[in-house]
Amino acid sequence: MLTRNCLLLFLWFVFDKGSLSLVRPPGPPLSRSRLGKENPRSLAGSMRNGASGIQRVKRGWVWNQFFVLEEYMGSDPQYVGKLHTDLDKGESEVKYTLMGEGAGSIFTIDATTGDIHALRSLDREVKPYYTLRAQAVDIDTNRPLEPESEFVIKVQDINDNEPKFLEGPYTASVLEMSPVGTYVMQVTATDADDPTYGNSARVVYSILHGQPYFSVDPKTGIIRTALPNMDREVKEQYQVLIQAKDMGGQLGGLAGTTTINITLSDVNDNPPRFSKSFFHLRVPESSAVGSAVGRIKAHDLDIGKNAEVEYNVVPGDGDNMFDIITNEHNQEGIIILKRLLDYETKKAYTFKVDASNAHLDPRFHSLGAFKDTATVKINVLDVDEPPVFTKPSYEMDVYEDSPVGDIIGAVTAQDLDASNSPVRYSIDWKSDLDSYFDIDPVEGTISTNELLDTESIAQHNITIVATKLSNDGEGLSHHTQHVNQRLGPVLTSRVAVTIHVLDVNEFAPELAIPYESFVCENAKVGQVSECVCVYESQRLCPKSNHTVQQQYNTAGIVTLQSSFRRHSQKIYFLPVVIQDSGYPVQSSTGILTIRVCGCESDGSLLTCSAEAIFLPVGLSTGALIAILLCIVILLVIVVLYVGMRRQKKKETLMTSKEDIRDNVIHYDDEGGGEEDTHAFDMGTLCNPKVIKEKLLKENRDLFRRDVKPDLKTDQNQPPVSQDSADICNFINQRLKENDVDNSAPPYDSLATYAYEGEGSVAESLSSIESLVVDTNEDYDYLNEWGPRFKTLAGIFGEQSDTQSDTTTTTKNRL
């Protein structure tokens, strides 16, 4: 670059004959040369000198890129450079002006000499360069001598910024036992100085603290492990101090530091270990199944899932009685009881327990098995237990009316503890409120205390309480329901006893009800006519609603002859002897009433009354039902016919003699349009009475009862047929008539008054048919009808006062 610039300067001096003078301050080599624009005045001067042909045009002024040193600390303004034009002859005729970035505030120019100075210290990191414009003008006229030109003032960098770690401090982790050179992380420092000039921004990394465990690459800042087999269990946290220095690490460079906190992550390199090889536990024999009877723990130096321990009971003496589970919170082994303990059966259990890791690392299999074994001995502690009955429940039988004091049965309970304490028996008073039974407190025999009756209570459910006593409780009375407090805690057990009261044959059987049976006149010998129910006294029949247990016996009545006749004898009284099979045998006699009845050929009952004899022979029940059904049908037809006749006689719209009120038309349902023939009866559009009169006299004009008659009725109106289907044309025609009819009343709905008042004593109440209006009528009485008729009274009152013949009409729209 320097050679090229020197060559350009040399050529310029050769061809320009030294007309340009350039003054620059001392500084770095020129990186760029810049030529000014052509000077028109010089070009015109050469033409006036008579030069012929094409000549080289002189450039008005030439300058290079200027440099200014940043962070200048001098007392005087810093000299930047000098601008000069060849038109300046040193006679103070040229004035230099400066414009652009920082002109006047940061940079200033001597208008006479062209010297440029920086007024204050500059920072390249804030703004690296400034673009300005300069121009030479006539000092007297301010006329530009040359076109405006642009140049750059670049701020020259100095090493005034140290490297910085923008993201520090850092945290990182690496697995323990990692090999040397394992990547940890990379740090990066930035330098705000100019990286294209000198070594101010060339950073070198080094480690100040953290050796010999870690190292850093001086160029890239990558941190790696430098020591093998670093154990987390020995040391887990490391703090490394990294330095970044510019100027390539040379003396005088600026430096910045950051801290990196490195944690060794755990791997499963330690097996669990029991704190001792033998554990001794004591468990009461009363412990419940599923309860925790002891805890043991194997310690693992690892953390997290690498420290999770699995416990197992080694098959042997205790695997059927005990199990072990892991507490997930503290990794303890909880020993669980699987079956009930019995001190009298076995007093101690000895077994082994294994502790192993759940998650193994294959890299450390060579270190051996990752488990440990310990021995557990459990001593069963004797507990004073309540007595135990020989059976879970007892059932006993006793006959009713047994003498008081008869022994029914006995219960047995014993103390299984080593002390073999005596047992006392009692009856829970809540289960035998009436004291039907008693029990021997020592022997456990149950006897009756009251006479029992199976008809009253057939089964008794009582509870027997067995109480274990100490040796000083032999004299405890059997009437007490609890042990004296002086004997200490009471241990009791209970058992249910069911006592069935057996029935004794003391009542004779009887008929359930006074039976009345029948026999057919055409019955055959040996035919069963009916079955009867037999019960013993105080027993219930099937139709009873009582819940007492029932026992039923039935007997059938068999005929011994045939061809019974109601004319000779219609009722038979049959004595029936009833005898049971109990001991002693009980019997009674009942009377069965048997009627002779007429039956069908299949044996079904027809009638037992004597009046049935006079019925025609061969008239069966089915025939009678058919006759009755026909009579009912005829009655229904007659009722329907009469109802229809009465319906036809009903008067039509508003002609009922019972109701002479106006027809109220509801507008709460929206119509379905012209095609809706269901919501509105289209037949009402046709006046049957008008149609009838039209048929009688075709030349007579149709008139409307709901409209004031008009003398100028259209004679060419087409006839309307009642059976016509073109209702639409009829409606359109009526609409056109009403649009031009000035005498139509102000109706806004289709209403016909063709039949209003017919058959009424008061005749029609409507004023539509009134062709002559009495204008002299007094309507003052409307004022007495209340506020609702105020408007109507005002209208007719005005007509009465003015005697006006003019009637206000409105269009009648259908």
Side-chain angles (χ1 to χ4, degrees), residues 154-171:
K154 186 174 182 182
V155 182
Q156 185 178 350
D157 181 52
I158 63 173
N159 189 19
D160 59 341
N161 292 279
E162 72 278 2
K164 294 181 180 180
F165 294 91
L166 302 179
E167 299 178 0
Y170 300 88
T171 58

Side-chain angles (χ1 to χ4, degrees), residues 718-775:
V720 180
S721 176
Q722 184 176 4
D723 298 330
S724 176
D726 193 4
I727 303 299
C728 182
N729 293 334
F730 174 76
I731 294 175
N732 293 333
Q733 181 180 353
R734 288 299 181 91
L735 288 174
K736 292 179 181 179
E737 293 176 0
N738 292 329
D739 288 339
V740 298
D741 189 2
N742 295 327
S743 62
Y747 295 145
D748 54 280
S749 64
L750 178 62
T752 173
Y753 298 87
Y755 315 112
E756 183 178 3
E758 289 187 2
S760 173
V761 178
E763 297 182 350
S764 176
L765 300 179
S766 175
S767 61
I768 296 178
E769 295 182 350
S770 300
L771 299 180
V772 180
V773 180
D774 188 5
T775 58

Side-chain angles (χ1 to χ4, degrees), residues 9-27:
L9 287 174
F10 175 74
L11 293 175
W12 184 83
F13 275 104
V14 170
F15 291 100
D16 200 43
K17 298 180 180 180
S19 61
L20 174 65
S21 60
L22 175 63
V23 180
R24 298 183 64 256

Side-chain angles (χ1 to χ4, degrees), residues 28-160:
L30 297 176
S31 61
R32 181 181 179 186
S33 296
R34 189 167 177 135
L35 300 179
K37 296 184 180 179
E38 296 178 352
N39 187 352
R41 181 180 296 179
S42 299
L43 181 58
S46 61
M47 294 297 291
R48 288 193 299 269
N49 291 333
S52 61
I54 299 175
Q55 297 182 354
R56 181 182 63 82
V57 179
K58 293 182 180 180
R59 293 175 175 84
W61 50 359
V62 177
W63 65 89
N64 292 312
Q65 179 173 270
F66 295 110
F67 290 87
V68 60
L69 190 65
E70 72 169 333
E71 304 296 344
Y72 175 73
M73 303 300 295
S75 59
D76 298 330
Q78 183 181 2
Y79 180 70
V80 178
K82 184 181 182 65
L83 297 179
H84 184 72
T85 178
D86 55 356
L87 298 179
D88 189 0
K89 305 300 184 179
E91 299 176 355
S92 300
E93 296 179 356
V94 178
K95 182 175 67 173
Y96 298 94
T97 61
L98 188 66
M99 296 166 290
E101 295 178 338
S105 60
I106 300 177
F107 303 99
T108 183
I109 187 172
D110 191 312
T112 304
T113 63
D115 294 332
I116 302 175
H117 291 82
L119 299 177
R120 58 185 176 86
S121 176
L122 302 179
D123 189 356
R124 189 202 67 85
E125 287 71 38
V126 176
K127 188 172 180 61
Y129 64 90
Y130 296 85
T131 303
L132 295 97
R133 301 186 307 277
Q135 192 174 32
V137 299
D138 189 276
I139 194 171
D140 296 326
T141 62
N142 285 331
R143 184 174 59 86
L145 301 177
E146 293 183 355
E148 186 181 277
S149 297
E150 186 178 82
F151 66 97
V152 175
I153 298 178
K154 186 174 182 182
V155 182
Q156 185 178 350
D157 181 52
I158 63 173
N159 189 19
D160 59 341

